[in-house]
Amino acid sequence: MDTTPETLIDEAQRILLICHVNPDGDAVGSLLGLGWALRKLGKQCTLACSDPVPPIYHYLPGSEMVTNQPQGTFDLIITLDCSDLRRLGEVYDSQDLVGVPIINIDHHVTNVEFGTVNWVDPTATSTAEMVLELVQRLGVPLNQTIATCLLNGIVTDTRGFRTPNTTRRAMEAAITLVDAGAPLAKITNQVFNRRPLADIRLWAEALRTVRLEGPIIWAEITPAMRRECGFTEEGDAGLASFLITANEADIAVVFNQQANGRVEVGMRSVPGVDVSAVALSFGGGGHPQAAGFGINGSLPTVREQVIAALKQAWLEQNSSS
Ligand code: 5GP
Ligand code: MN
């Protein structure tokens, strides 16, 4: 009963590590950091993600090794930063992976515990913070490569140590990683202070659509906007995190229409307001202050449904406090 991640890793030789679709800095950093550490133990590791590593994370050592077509057979799968199996995307669809044990390492409060072993810690700022703990438990000495990948995860998920869940533990983890050679200033500069001009152009277009409805600020992104701005990614270029800085809002939402008819909905909230349950009710997931989901439908219909659900959640949360 007491199977731990360490015992499963100990017994495994060919390990497939998978992070979530549309990977963020924590997903990529945890994937690469754990991959490097397991190789130190002599394990064969394949690092997989259904979507490409975003260019801002190409500076991380090993980012070019991430594949969307894992080859061969595996005796263990480790999922990172994924709250449900669908977040693994098409890399997990292969018949060959049915029955392979899964270690599920994640910090999302909405995790549905789909693994053989589930290590889910919603008090961790990031999956990378948990991976650091695992690497230490496995007795792998830290080096600059592992430390840089893991610090990238902590820095991005705490938005530079600014989120309310930034604990002493997270700060101490960061110190450990800096001591091992991770370049904090370089990471911070890389992930927060530089962005493609296309992102800024997309903001300019999307910000025209901003509306405030009660405590909710929202904006839209359409395929036409992305085309006009030369924006080639699927995300919101950080727009939801920007919108939640509006004094007047408790909740920010970006409705991001994809070419395939889906609308990706990204939400942020101020401390004390929880948007993760609404995300879960629409089939997605996330954290109290940052959550999301994808849904089929037209932009106006989705918007109406989601704003109604968020207003309801906001009212319930405000009446109970
Ligand atoms: P973002 O708005 O940055 O895309 O996502 C914010 C948070 O919500 C992240 O923790 C992310 O993992 C989670 N999230 C976003 N979209 C989805 C989704 O479609 N499904 C699930 N399970 N979580 C999501
Ligand atoms: Mn994360």
Side-chain angles (χ1 to χ4, degrees), residues 182-248:
L184 177 60
K186 180 183 166 192
I187 293 170
T188 305
N189 194 52
Q190 173 71 21
V191 301
F192 296 123
N193 297 350
R194 309 295 297 164
R195 53 168 56 89
L197 179 60
D199 288 24
I200 293 168
R201 293 212 158 106
L202 186 73
W203 279 34
E205 290 301 312
L207 286 174
R208 289 176 205 275
T209 70
V210 166
R211 295 286 180 279
L212 184 71
E213 277 188 45
I216 302 170
I217 188 167
W218 58 263
E220 294 178 344
I221 297 173
T222 63
M225 285 181 196
R226 276 197 297 274
R227 247 192 331 272
E228 278 162 30
C229 301
F231 184 83
T232 51
E233 293 177 36
E234 288 174 356
D236 74 348
L239 184 60
S241 297
F242 177 61
L243 292 182
I244 195 58
T245 62
N247 281 334
E248 291 77 2

Side-chain angles (χ1 to χ4, degrees), residues 20 24-27 30 80-82 106-108 124-128 153 156-157 287:
H20 64 74
D24 58 14
D26 186 28
S30 301
L80 295 153
D81 209 34
C82 290
D106 185 30
H107 69 128
H108 289 91
T125 56
S126 49
T127 301
T156 51
D157 260 24
H287 310 288

Side-chain angles (χ1 to χ4, degrees), residues 141-315:
L142 288 174
N143 59 23
Q144 188 175 30
T145 301
I146 298 172
T148 301
C149 298
L150 297 183
L151 190 56
N152 185 84
I154 296 177
V155 167
T156 51
D157 260 24
T158 59
R159 309 194 56 244
F161 305 102
R162 287 183 296 162
T163 53
N165 64 351
T166 303
T167 52
R168 182 188 184 94
R169 186 174 92 188
M171 311 279 281
E172 283 173 348
I175 292 169
T176 301
L177 296 169
V178 169
D179 283 347
L184 177 60
K186 180 183 166 192
I187 293 170
T188 305
N189 194 52
Q190 173 71 21
V191 301
F192 296 123
N193 297 350
R194 309 295 297 164
R195 53 168 56 89
L197 179 60
D199 288 24
I200 293 168
R201 293 212 158 106
L202 186 73
W203 279 34
E205 290 301 312
L207 286 174
R208 289 176 205 275
T209 70
V210 166
R211 295 286 180 279
L212 184 71
E213 277 188 45
I216 302 170
I217 188 167
W218 58 263
E220 294 178 344
I221 297 173
T222 63
M225 285 181 196
R226 276 197 297 274
R227 247 192 331 272
E228 278 162 30
C229 301
F231 184 83
T232 51
E233 293 177 36
E234 288 174 356
D236 74 348
L239 184 60
S241 297
F242 177 61
L243 292 182
I244 195 58
T245 62
N247 281 334
E248 291 77 2
D250 280 357
I251 296 171
V253 198
V254 172
F255 299 97
N256 191 347
Q257 173 87 66
Q258 304 296 308
N260 62 7
R262 260 175 109 66
V263 180
E264 292 298 331
V265 181
M267 301 180 290
R268 297 291 183 275
S269 60
V270 295
V273 176
D274 183 335
V275 287
S276 65
V278 170
L280 194 61
S281 74
F282 281 97
H287 310 288
Q289 263 79 64
F293 58 91
I295 182 171
N296 287 318
S298 75
L299 240 163
T301 317
V302 168
R303 197 176 69 214
E304 222 166 276
Q305 274 180 323
V306 173
I307 288 177
L310 284 170
K311 277 185 179 160
Q312 180 69 27
W314 184 87
L315 281 173

Side-chain angles (χ1 to χ4, degrees), residues 27-99:
V28 176
S30 301
L31 181 74
L32 298 177
L34 185 58
W36 286 119
L38 293 178
R39 288 196 182 112
K40 286 253 169 208
L41 289 176
K43 309 292 181 187
Q44 287 172 37
C45 292
T46 298
L47 312 187
C49 182
S50 294
D51 292 310
V53 173
I56 63 163
Y57 304 121
H58 286 180
Y59 86 100
L60 288 174
S63 60
E64 71 288 348
M65 295 183 307
V66 179
T67 176
N68 63 357
Q69 285 177 324
Q71 305 289 325
T73 58
F74 302 96
D75 47 20
L76 179 64
I77 297 171
I78 303 178
T79 66
L80 295 153
D81 209 34
C82 290
S83 54
D84 60 69
L85 278 176
R86 268 190 318 163
R87 290 287 278 168
L88 301 180
E90 65 207 24
V91 289
Y92 187 66
D93 288 349
S94 159
Q95 277 303 311
D96 300 343
L97 298 179
V98 175

Side-chain angles (χ1 to χ4, degrees), residues 10-23:
D10 217 30
E11 291 159 8
Q13 193 45 48
R14 293 178 312 279
I15 305 178
L16 175 62
L17 291 86
I18 311 178
C19 72
H20 64 74
V21 295
N22 297 322

